[in-house]
Amino acid sequence: MSWESDSLKLLRVLEGFYRPREDEVLRLANVARLNKLYLAYLRMVKDAVRCELAREEARYGWFVENVVEVVEALRGVNYALYKFRKPVEHVSVDLDILVSREDVPRATMMLCKRGFRIAVVEPYTITLERRGFIVDLYTEPSFAWTVYMDGGRLLRDHVEEVEVNGIQVQALTREAEVVVAAAHAIYKEHLILLIDCLLAWKWLNSRAWRIALAS
């Protein structure tokens, strides 16, 4: 019998090529959770985890509702959802938004009018929070004092409209998301998750390589 890691089995489940045994369901669920693939995994094995799937779907619905409200508040602002688009839907711990430097005061004010409060201010980031939902406004892709990509170039050259819950929003292109995810994993997290691998496998192409080389 050939040996397969849990990570490989998880990816095969997500592709529809493997059905986990009863004794594997919870173990692979833990791997999925650690790699931000929990919702996608639960949807594939839904008969075995109905209650947990219902809870995660509720969390995802809450997340999307908040995303829509934030985006509607930012009408007229030069922004793009950032580190947002993935090949599979997932529940994020926060919402990252790239905003032009001149629009940061306006964006912050508009969110504060919606009940958000400023939690953290850093050189290239403002973090706002409301009832457990966190929004990070970035002027540059960065961590602390280190900028690892040109935010202005991303906003100028690599933004498109996508649909979220029935409304049109501004977001980075798929190719830009591949590059941003790789840079974020290497420079900030020092950790590559399976969702990052899936993103590269699905969306990496010549345009993504050109963005990476120009960054």
Side-chain angles (χ1 to χ4, degrees):
M1 182 180 295
S2 63
W3 178 87
E4 285 184 328
S5 70
D6 285 346
S7 294
L8 181 55
K9 286 181 179 178
L10 171 60
L11 291 174
R12 290 184 63 208
V13 170
L14 296 181
E15 292 295 314
F17 298 140
Y18 183 73
R19 185 174 184 83
R21 301 189 309 267
E22 185 177 345
D23 64 319
E24 294 178 316
V25 171
L26 295 182
R27 190 172 77 243
L28 294 183
N30 187 53
V31 176
R33 185 185 291 109
L34 292 172
N35 285 276
K36 299 185 179 180
L37 293 168
Y38 194 46
L39 177 60
Y41 172 74
L42 293 178
R43 286 174 172 174
M44 295 301 293
V45 296
K46 54 188 176 183
D47 290 339
V49 289
R50 288 188 182 278
C51 291
E52 187 62 18
L53 174 59
R55 282 192 289 268
E56 196 67 6
E57 291 284 9
R59 291 183 64 231
Y60 180 69
W62 176 80
F63 174 75
V64 170
E65 287 174 4
N66 277 278
V67 170
V68 169
E69 183 177 354
V70 167
V71 167
E72 288 178 339
L74 296 182
R75 292 190 184 280
V77 169
N78 185 12
Y79 79 92
L81 300 185
Y82 152 73
K83 294 186 295 180
F84 178 79
R85 300 175 71 186
K86 308 293 181 185
V88 295
E89 293 176 337
H90 77 294
V91 183
S92 180
V93 297
D94 56 16
L95 178 64
D96 295 323
I97 306 176
L98 200 58
V99 180
S100 64
R101 188 175 299 274
E102 58 269 23
D103 279 343
V104 168
R106 182 182 177 191
T108 303
M109 179 188 67
M110 294 166 82
L111 290 177
C112 287
K113 287 182 176 179
R114 295 285 184 121
F116 285 85
R117 65 174 186 84
I118 297 174
V120 179
V121 177
E122 292 183 329
Y124 305 103
T125 316
I126 296 179
T127 299
L128 301 100
E129 187 272 342
R130 185 190 65 182
R131 298 191 296 276
F133 189 76
I134 297 171
V135 176
D136 288 320
L137 301 179
Y138 286 86
T139 55
E140 309 282 355
S142 60
F143 66 98
W145 294 85
T146 304
V147 174
Y148 54 82
M149 290 189 74
D150 187 334
R153 178 178 292 173
L154 287 172
L155 281 173
R156 184 179 66 248
D157 299 332
H158 305 294
V159 175
E160 63 186 7
E161 282 196 348
V162 300
E163 184 178 308
V164 175
N165 208 34
I167 71 165
Q168 295 298 308
V169 306
Q170 298 292 116
L172 293 186
T173 63
R174 291 180 172 185
E175 293 81 9
E177 284 284 19
V178 171
V179 180
V180 165
H184 180 78
I186 294 169
Y187 290 111
K188 183 175 181 179
E189 300 296 340
H190 306 292
L191 178 69
I192 298 175
L193 301 178
L194 288 179
I195 197 168
D196 301 320
C197 297
L198 195 61
L199 179 65
W201 290 335
K202 294 287 188 180
W203 293 351
L204 179 62
N205 57 27
S206 59
R207 291 190 296 274
W209 280 114
R210 286 196 292 271
I211 295 170
L213 293 172
S215 300

